[in-house]
Amino acid sequence: MSSQPSHPALLIPGPIEFDDAVLQSMSHYSESHVGAPFVATFGETLSMLRKLFQTTDPSSQPFVISGSGTLGWDLVAANLAEPGDNVLVLHTGYFADSFADCFETYGVKATQLKAPIGSRPQLPEIEKALKEKSYKLLTVTHVDTSTGVLSELKALSELVHRVSPETLVIVDGVCSVGCEEIEFDKWQLDGVITASQKAIGCPAGLSISMYSGRTIKAFQNRKTSPGSYFASFKNWLPIMQNYEAKKASYFATPSPQLIHALHTSLTQILSKPLSERFAAHRETSQKIKKAVTDLGLKQLASDPADQANGMTAIYLPENVKAPELLPNLMKKGVIFAGGLHKEIAAKYIRFGHMGVSVTDPKRDDIDRAIKALETSLSDAGYQKA
């Protein structure tokens, strides 16, 4: 049994429920961020991230920096593009708009390739766009938290390397790393940015990313200085390299407690084959999506190939309103999220199913959530047609 105080199961698309041991790591006593014990922990954490992202290339580089997942956008925009450069942003929801806005803040010209709500840009469209203009970067949101749309990375990366080999392939993996398959080396990805609080299962506060050797070279060959001080690779790259080599280093103070929590979470994740973890998330996702269909409800992502394995975005029946449904769900012991996509926010809810709620056999979060959804809809007067 969990040692945590009784509380509703947090089943939003992040933050997620945390394992007891991860939370206990957060209570680690205060220690020096340049002392040998912490440096060893941080170094091991960076090395474990290589295994999570499935990279063995010594030229690839993990980063862990205090900040939210949003900091990842700044790391990409400030370091990998220069003012006046063109970047292609594949749009599957709210977070592509924000990534594009971040690029524009740094004077980078962002072109968005949009798809209808609930789907993703198709490969022929992407190929056409890449042939029309030279792009420094292409960005794709692996799972858009606002829509639950899953983008296919392997075929996309193959296309970019074939049609526009100089374009770097950058993945926003905030809602995918830890629950969706990502083979960094095999798929020839150039950057994946993520955060601690979603499928990785660690409290919020860490921006986590991995970059390829050619991405680091692209940074080193830029003509202008990065447009950010805190997010500059110039400042962070030697720090990350030193920590992984177990050498004390300093630019800005990290959070030792959060690093300990991440170390614990990664140790748990890597204690079993990653294939088993991804399979468990797929199995749970299919169970939830079948339950949604059985209730007569529809998902934003109607094509199964476009449906994420760590969350489900569900259209509400016409007579059911989220401001009434969500509090009733909480009374029944589960917390879902409201809609986020600007055009349809009031019309749907989001069910997050990542991490220990999926992988811990002692937890019944998912079954309770499905039952709570069914009874709450009934309470709201909904009956399947």
Side-chain angles (χ1 to χ4, degrees), residues 300-320:
L300 270 65
S302 57
D303 186 338
D306 296 343
Q307 295 170 356
N309 293 299
M311 66 166 290
T312 304
I314 308 163
Y315 278 116
L316 292 171
E318 284 189 13
N319 63 329
V320 178

Side-chain angles (χ1 to χ4, degrees), residues 266-319:
L266 290 173
T267 300
Q268 292 178 341
I269 290 172
L270 296 172
S271 67
K272 295 179 180 179
L274 286 173
S275 58
E276 291 183 15
R277 182 178 182 83
F278 299 140
H281 281 84
R282 283 193 299 271
E283 182 180 336
T284 297
S285 179
Q286 290 164 8
K287 176 180 179 178
I288 290 166
K289 288 166 173 60
K290 180 181 183 302
V292 168
T293 300
D294 289 347
L295 284 169
L297 305 177
K298 295 182 179 180
Q299 297 176 55
L300 270 65
S302 57
D303 186 338
D306 296 343
Q307 295 170 356
N309 293 299
M311 66 166 290
T312 304
I314 308 163
Y315 278 116
L316 292 171
E318 284 189 13
N319 63 329

Side-chain angles (χ1 to χ4, degrees), residues 365-385:
D365 299 349
I366 303 302
D367 290 335
R368 284 194 293 119
I370 292 172
K371 183 64 177 176
L373 178 60
E374 180 182 357
T375 57
S376 293
L377 286 168
S378 178
D379 292 346
Y382 170 73
Q383 290 184 329
K384 180 182 175 182

Side-chain angles (χ1 to χ4, degrees), residues 10-214:
L10 186 59
L11 296 171
I12 65 175
I16 66 169
E17 285 288 320
F18 302 129
D19 184 78
D20 287 3
V22 173
L23 291 179
Q24 288 160 7
S25 296
M26 285 287 292
S27 65
H28 194 282
Y29 56 81
S30 189
E31 63 183 334
S32 169
H33 56 290
V34 292
F38 175 71
V39 170
T41 298
F42 203 162
E44 290 168 8
T45 301
L46 291 166
S47 295
M48 284 193 284
L49 283 171
R50 293 182 181 274
K51 296 178 181 178
L52 178 62
F53 284 91
Q54 301 189 69
T55 174
T56 57
D57 185 346
S59 71
S60 62
Q61 182 60 54
F63 285 72
V64 178
I65 302 172
S66 293
S68 73
T70 306
L71 178 58
W73 294 336
D74 283 85
L75 289 168
V76 171
N79 295 288
L80 305 182
E82 299 187 60
D85 282 346
N86 290 295
V87 299
L88 182 62
V89 178
L90 304 187
H91 186 289
T92 53
Y94 174 94
F95 290 93
D97 289 327
S98 300
F99 206 165
D101 189 33
C102 181
F103 279 120
E104 296 288 349
T105 299
Y106 287 91
V108 178
K109 300 174 183 176
T111 299
Q112 293 198 60
L113 185 58
K114 297 191 175 186
I117 295 173
S119 61
R120 63 192 184 197
Q122 299 302 300
L123 294 179
E125 303 172 74
I126 299 168
E127 181 169 355
K128 181 173 180 289
L130 289 171
K131 287 180 175 177
E132 289 175 348
K133 189 186 293 185
S134 176
Y135 290 103
K136 184 72 169 288
L137 313 171
L138 175 144
T139 74
V140 56
T141 310
H142 196 190
V143 171
D144 194 292
T145 315
S146 72
T147 58
V149 170
L150 172 70
S151 291
E152 208 283 334
L153 298 184
K154 183 173 181 288
L156 172 63
S157 183
E158 289 172 351
L159 170 67
V160 177
H161 282 276
R162 174 173 59 82
V163 175
S164 184
E166 72 284 356
T167 300
L168 298 177
V169 180
I170 305 297
V171 179
D172 180 337
V174 169
C175 198
S176 69
V177 174
C179 63
E180 303 283 357
E181 182 82 27
I182 296 178
E183 296 193 45
F184 192 87
D185 287 353
K186 191 174 180 180
W187 297 349
Q188 293 183 283
L189 303 176
D190 291 301
V192 179
I193 60 174
T194 190
S196 52
Q197 77 276 11
K198 301 207 179 199
I200 290 176
C202 173
L206 294 175
S207 170
I208 300 166
S209 49
M210 184 71 69
Y211 301 97
S212 68
R214 81 166 186 154

Side-chain angles (χ1 to χ4, degrees), residues 187-263:
W187 297 349
Q188 293 183 283
L189 303 176
D190 291 301
V192 179
I193 60 174
T194 190
S196 52
Q197 77 276 11
K198 301 207 179 199
I200 290 176
C202 173
L206 294 175
S207 170
I208 300 166
S209 49
M210 184 71 69
Y211 301 97
S212 68
R214 81 166 186 154
T215 299
I216 299 300
K217 284 183 180 177
F219 163 72
Q220 292 168 337
N221 291 334
R222 61 182 290 135
K223 298 180 180 66
T224 61
S225 296
S228 170
Y229 182 69
F230 183 74
S232 172
F233 279 10
K234 180 182 177 182
N235 293 322
W236 283 115
L237 182 59
I239 304 298
M240 295 299 130
Q241 291 171 334
N242 285 342
Y243 267 122
E244 194 169 10
K246 310 291 176 65
K247 298 176 183 177
S249 197
Y250 174 75
F251 163 59
T253 306
S255 168
Q257 283 70 30
L258 275 172
I259 298 298
H260 277 287
L262 178 59
H263 185 279

